[in-house]
Amino acid sequence: MNEPKKLPDQTDEWQRLKAYTTARIALGRTGISIPLRESLQFKLAHAHAKDAVYSGLAISGLQDALQDLNVPICPVHSRAENRDIYLQRPDLGRLLCDESAQLLQNLNAPPADVCLIIADGLSASAVNTYAPPVVNMLVETARQAGYTLAPIVLVEQGRVAISDVIGHLLGSRLAIILIGERPGLSSFDSMGAYLTYAPQPGLTDERRNCLSNIRDQGLPPALAVSKLMWLIDSAFRLQLTGIALKDTDGSEADRLPIG
């Protein structure tokens, strides 16, 4: 008796990769289109991303979550008066409004090693979720390492470069801003961290180091704090941040050739 022919293996190799990523891969198809389920999930992801862009910074919630740190917390606002202006005028999100600048000056805070800044960016919902665990762990670890801390600043309608203005006003040696990143269709809750040594107005992004995708499905908060502490130690040792400071994931940092 002839044995029946074996059908070719129809296993989609992309299905294996879905276990390692939330990216939109191996969606399948129905005729020449993607299945209805995937189409609806795409629309839901788009809605989540849009909601993230228009989400607001939970000032009172963040203050409550950080109150045990015994660090002064100062809410401020950029020159972008509302969300629509913020999205249309990125330059205004990089500057403090006059009232907020005066408020920071009136704090008369002593110069400190590190200034921590929390800003809404393009996903306040990400910051509301991940800034509290990161800041709580980071403050404790930084204190154990002997670093002094400036008041924690909460910024509404803020962009990354506003950390230069704030760090300079507070006289801090290093500014760290935690900010909501531009949401994607598979990551609407991602937070970034930017470090700038010797912050002052007018600096450009090549003077900063960045940790991206801080969230449970990306760079978990505990690991993010470990990487941030390594960058902080390296920044003070080399007295710089940016393209001249390589993130070697905990191994000895080298200065890149300049010029």
Side-chain angles (χ1 to χ4, degrees):
M1 182 181 294
N2 295 332
E3 295 184 1
K5 288 186 177 181
K6 292 183 178 180
L7 296 175
D9 185 4
Q10 298 295 320
T11 302
D12 186 348
E13 293 295 329
W14 284 95
Q15 291 292 337
R16 299 181 184 180
L17 298 179
K18 286 181 72 73
Y20 303 100
T21 179
T22 58
R24 300 180 60 79
I25 62 173
L27 301 182
R29 67 178 183 178
T30 300
I32 61 173
S33 301
I34 63 173
L36 176 60
R37 177 184 178 87
E38 297 296 341
S39 177
L40 294 175
Q41 288 182 340
F42 177 87
K43 293 179 180 179
L44 178 61
H46 183 268
H48 281 316
K50 186 174 180 179
D51 287 345
V53 169
Y54 282 94
S55 58
L57 200 64
I59 298 294
S60 60
L62 290 170
Q63 289 174 321
D64 291 342
L66 304 176
Q67 63 180 351
D68 292 339
L69 296 175
N70 293 319
V71 178
I73 300 175
C74 185
V76 299
H77 205 288
S78 77
R79 291 188 182 179
E81 297 178 2
N82 54 56
R83 201 60 176 171
D84 288 334
I85 293 177
Y86 172 83
L87 295 173
Q88 296 168 13
R89 292 286 305 274
D91 56 313
L92 297 182
R94 302 183 184 112
L95 301 171
L96 283 171
C97 67
D98 293 338
E99 294 82 357
S100 293
Q102 189 62 51
L103 177 63
L104 293 184
Q105 290 176 333
N106 292 342
L107 290 177
N108 293 320
D113 294 322
V114 179
C115 174
L116 288 174
I117 302 151
I118 302 173
D120 43 15
L122 290 171
S123 179
S125 57
V127 173
N128 295 336
T129 300
Y130 294 111
V134 169
V135 171
N136 276 291
M137 286 187 286
L138 185 59
V139 167
E140 180 181 355
T141 308
R143 280 173 168 165
Q144 292 174 354
Y147 294 114
T148 58
L149 298 168
I152 296 173
V153 180
L154 309 181
V155 186
E156 291 185 275
Q157 314 299 353
R159 300 275 179 174
V160 171
I162 204 167
S163 62
D164 298 335
V165 179
I166 294 171
H168 182 71
L169 285 174
L170 294 178
S172 302
R173 298 173 62 198
L174 179 75
I176 302 175
I177 184 169
L178 304 177
I179 190 167
E181 296 185 311
R182 180 180 290 105
L185 291 176
S186 60
S187 57
F188 61 89
D189 58 348
S190 179
M191 184 178 75
Y194 292 79
L195 299 85
T196 309
Y197 184 82
Q200 57 182 308
L203 297 182
T204 53
D205 287 342
E206 48 84 24
R207 295 285 296 273
R208 317 182 205 286
N209 285 87
C210 173
L211 286 184
S212 184
N213 199 30
I214 300 174
R215 61 190 187 108
D216 289 338
Q217 294 78 23
L219 183 64
L223 182 55
V225 170
S226 177
K227 287 180 170 287
L228 283 170
M229 282 305 305
W230 183 85
L231 286 168
I232 291 170
D233 292 337
S234 299
F236 282 119
R237 177 168 57 84
L238 298 175
Q239 299 184 24
L240 54 81
T241 50
I243 60 172
L245 173 59
K246 294 190 295 184
D247 179 1
T248 53
D249 198 23
S251 61
E252 184 67 18
D254 299 316
R255 294 186 72 163
L256 292 172
I258 300 175

